[in-house]
């Protein structure tokens, strides 16, 4: 979302009105937050809308277990920010966090998250992979048509528990006709150099999201 000012109060006032035309539910049923660009010359913000009742249910469940959340974020965002911060990315890149039932798609532009979408997915068969690839292409086409200069990444980064199937990631990359690059936050972040990289217990596609959040 592009806003004409940078003051926090004004941004929070205008966001519900800016988002409302694109939302499938009434805006008062949602909790809305945003993140400003790290570049002070840019006026765009990355906005997120979450179902209020769903979020309250999660927080109540954690409170009943004597857990006090310090931060609530959409699951794939820390990994996207970590990849953009620690890795020498191309100008445009695509990150997919692939779970057993949902995939988060992150468009990375100029080392920032330009867009995030979550979609139902299944990569257990060739037909399911092709169906997911079609939804991803449609999403990228729609985003590129409304993005200054377009969006046509050539490089694909992938993570997530569904990649326990060793060939699944490559099948999806082939369906998208993109070059697949590996992710391992443990080796990307300089402060973690001392951690052993030989342990068989470390599986980046399972642990990178939690490590990026930390």
């Amino acid at each position: 979302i592009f806003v004409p000012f940078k003051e926090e109060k004004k941004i929070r006032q205008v966001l519900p009105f800016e988002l409302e035309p694109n939302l499938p539910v009434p805006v008062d049923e949602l909790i809305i937050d945003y993140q400003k660009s790290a570049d002070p010359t840019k006026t765009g913000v990355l906005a997120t809308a979450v179902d209020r009742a769903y979020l309250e249910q999660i927080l109540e469940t954690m409170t009943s277990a004597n857990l006090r959340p310090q931060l609530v974020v959409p699951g794939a965002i820390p990994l996207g920010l970590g990849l953009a911060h620690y890795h020498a990315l191309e100008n445009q890149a695509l990150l997919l966090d692939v779970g057993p039932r949902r995939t988060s798609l992150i468009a990375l532009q100029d080392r920032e998250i330009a867009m995030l979408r979550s979609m139902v997915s299944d990569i257990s068969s060739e037909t399911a992979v092709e169906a997911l690839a079609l939804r991803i292409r449609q999403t990228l086409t729609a985003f590129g048509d409304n993005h200054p200069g377009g969006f046509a990444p050539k490089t694909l980064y992938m993570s997530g528990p569904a990649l326990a199937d060793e060939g699944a990631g490559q099948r999806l990359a082939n369906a998208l006709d993109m070059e697949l690059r590996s992710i391992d936050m443990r080796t990307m972040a300089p402060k973690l150099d001392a951690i052993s990289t030989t342990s068989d217990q470390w599986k980046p596609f399972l642990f990178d999201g939690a490590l990026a959040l930390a």
Side-chain angles (χ1 to χ4, degrees), residues 18-32:
E18 292 290 334
L19 289 173
E20 192 168 22
N22 299 313
L23 295 173
V25 296
V27 70
D28 57 3
E29 295 180 8
L30 302 169
I31 291 177
I32 296 171

Side-chain angles (χ1 to χ4, degrees), residues 35-88:
Q35 185 175 60
K36 291 195 291 187
S37 170
D39 185 342
T41 65
K42 294 182 179 180
T43 57
V45 300
L46 180 67
T48 304
V50 183
D51 181 85
R52 182 183 299 274
Y54 173 66
L55 183 58
E56 288 174 350
Q57 179 183 359
I58 291 175
L59 296 178
E60 287 171 2
T61 300
M62 299 190 76
T63 300
S64 67
N66 294 319
L67 297 171
R68 299 179 61 187
Q70 299 298 307
L71 184 68
V72 178
V73 297
I77 280 188
L79 183 56
L81 293 174
L83 182 63
H85 182 73
Y86 288 119
H87 191 60

Side-chain angles (χ1 to χ4, degrees), residues 3-213:
V3 292
F5 31 70
K6 299 180 181 180
E7 295 85 351
E8 300 276 349
K9 184 178 180 179
K10 290 184 178 180
I11 293 175
R12 292 196 179 279
Q13 286 176 338
V14 77
L15 269 186
F17 302 101
E18 292 290 334
L19 289 173
E20 192 168 22
N22 299 313
L23 295 173
V25 296
V27 70
D28 57 3
E29 295 180 8
L30 302 169
I31 291 177
I32 296 171
D33 206 348
Y34 70 95
Q35 185 175 60
K36 291 195 291 187
S37 170
D39 185 342
T41 65
K42 294 182 179 180
T43 57
V45 300
L46 180 67
T48 304
V50 183
D51 181 85
R52 182 183 299 274
Y54 173 66
L55 183 58
E56 288 174 350
Q57 179 183 359
I58 291 175
L59 296 178
E60 287 171 2
T61 300
M62 299 190 76
T63 300
S64 67
N66 294 319
L67 297 171
R68 299 179 61 187
Q70 299 298 307
L71 184 68
V72 178
V73 297
I77 280 188
L79 183 56
L81 293 174
L83 182 63
H85 182 73
Y86 288 119
H87 191 60
L89 289 174
E90 295 80 0
N91 183 47
Q92 295 181 342
L94 179 65
L95 168 62
L96 299 178
D97 186 31
V98 189
R101 291 181 295 275
R102 298 195 73 84
T103 289
S104 294
L105 177 158
I106 291 184
L108 295 164
Q109 171 83 40
D110 297 329
R111 304 182 70 81
E112 291 186 346
I113 295 177
M115 182 265 291
L116 182 148
R117 292 288 185 275
S118 178
M119 58 190 70
V120 175
S121 67
D122 171 19
I123 59 172
S124 60
S125 68
E126 291 289 347
T127 302
V129 167
E130 288 292 342
L132 176 58
L134 176 60
R135 287 195 290 273
I136 291 171
R137 286 194 294 268
Q138 290 171 336
T139 302
L140 293 179
T141 298
F143 175 64
D145 287 346
N146 293 283
H147 188 69
F151 188 78
K154 302 297 183 185
T155 306
L156 171 65
Y157 296 87
M158 208 177 300
S159 188
L163 301 188
D165 176 354
E166 293 183 2
Q170 191 58 59
R171 290 195 297 271
L172 183 53
N174 292 342
L176 291 169
D177 193 24
M178 298 180 70
E179 178 186 355
L180 180 60
R181 301 273 184 89
S182 61
I183 307 174
D184 189 341
M185 283 300 299
R186 182 181 51 169
T187 60
M188 288 181 182
K191 293 182 180 180
L192 302 177
D193 285 346
I195 298 179
S196 170
T197 59
T198 60
S199 172
D200 293 335
Q201 295 179 331
W202 178 258
K203 302 184 188 307
F205 58 87
L206 289 178
F207 304 143
D208 272 345
L211 181 57
L213 177 59

